[in-house]
Amino acid sequence: MKIGLLGGTFNPIHIGHLILAEEALCKLRLDKVIFVPSYQPPHKEEENVLDAAHRLNMAVLAIEGNPKFEVSRVEIDARQTSYSIDMIKKFRQIHGPKAEVFFITGSDSLKELFSWKKIDEIFELTNFIVANRPGFPVKEVPEGAQAVAITGMEISSSDIRERLRKGRSIRYLVPEKVRAYIEKHRLYG
């Protein structure tokens, strides 16, 4: 089995995340992509991160209807700072040694990659995939990683949060069920 892991804050999840996952699924011939919302990401401690339960609920709503996508509670249930290496080890344990694990991250993560906890071990345990993001060209991929070209979408969670703070529309930037959830719970306003 070939499993793609797409971890992130998903604050909120948006169409760009879904396009990235779908294209990685197809281009890497994965059996499934698992979205893994973080409880508290180590590189975003100063940022105002929405409660994990809301981010999890939005991820579940976002992937509805795609049988090749799943959402995992692994990091949220751990209720501690989320490190990629711990998440990867947990999925290796769950799926066994025969599973081929693909860790998918955006090219915007390259600038801080070598500050990640046990990055060398992450490269050993996974097929490390770097997907291009607008404004963050993939110039040099670290040894042990593979670049995958993804349709560029200039969408970011921070822009969506800013739009919501200013009372602007986010229609078509997030799945409709996610937009309705944000509106119902008055998130990010």
Side-chain angles (χ1 to χ4, degrees):
M1 177 168 278
K2 294 171 73 172
I3 301 165
L5 298 178
L6 183 58
T9 313
F10 303 118
N11 189 30
I13 193 166
H14 55 69
I15 297 297
H17 294 126
L18 300 173
I19 291 170
L20 165 62
E22 183 67 21
E23 290 193 16
L25 180 84
C26 296
K27 290 181 178 185
L28 299 169
R29 294 186 171 96
L30 303 175
D31 294 299
K32 64 180 167 180
V33 173
I34 304 172
F35 291 75
V36 189
S38 59
Y39 178 69
Q40 176 61 55
H43 293 92
K44 297 186 180 182
E45 290 182 42
E46 73 287 344
E47 189 178 305
N48 186 14
V49 177
L50 188 65
D51 181 72
H54 283 306
R55 293 183 290 108
L56 176 73
N57 291 340
M58 288 187 287
V60 169
L61 290 170
I63 67 154
E64 276 184 4
N66 189 330
K68 300 269 186 176
F69 287 176
E70 292 179 14
V71 175
S72 172
R73 302 178 54 95
V74 165
E75 288 198 357
I76 289 175
D77 288 347
R79 303 185 70 71
Q80 59 189 18
T81 300
S82 302
Y83 293 101
S84 297
I85 186 63
D86 300 329
M87 181 251 294
I88 290 164
K89 286 180 176 179
K90 184 71 172 173
F91 278 98
R92 283 222 153 278
Q93 182 182 5
I94 292 167
H95 294 283
K98 291 186 179 181
E100 198 173 349
V101 177
F102 291 74
F103 183 84
I104 305 164
T105 191
S107 56
D108 54 323
S109 297
L110 287 178
K111 65 184 180 297
E112 60 193 25
L113 190 63
F114 288 96
S115 69
W116 289 15
K117 180 180 176 183
K118 298 186 179 182
I119 187 62
D120 293 333
E121 194 173 350
I122 292 173
F123 285 148
E124 290 172 21
L125 293 174
T126 67
N127 295 294
F128 195 91
I129 306 300
V130 179
N132 59 294
R133 290 218 36 209
F136 299 93
V138 181
K139 294 178 183 169
E140 294 180 28
V141 177
E143 189 175 330
Q146 173 187 347
V148 174
I150 302 296
T151 302
M153 301 290 295
E154 291 216 30
I155 301 173
S156 71
S157 296
S158 57
D159 178 57
I160 290 168
R161 292 191 306 273
E162 183 64 22
R163 286 171 173 265
L164 288 163
R165 277 192 287 277
K166 292 180 177 179
R168 293 175 54 208
S169 173
I170 60 166
R171 191 177 299 270
Y172 310 118
L173 298 176
V174 299
E176 181 56 24
K177 287 184 177 183
V178 172
R179 189 196 63 76
Y181 183 93
I182 289 170
E183 188 175 288
K184 176 183 177 182
H185 295 281
R186 295 185 174 103
L187 305 177
Y188 306 113

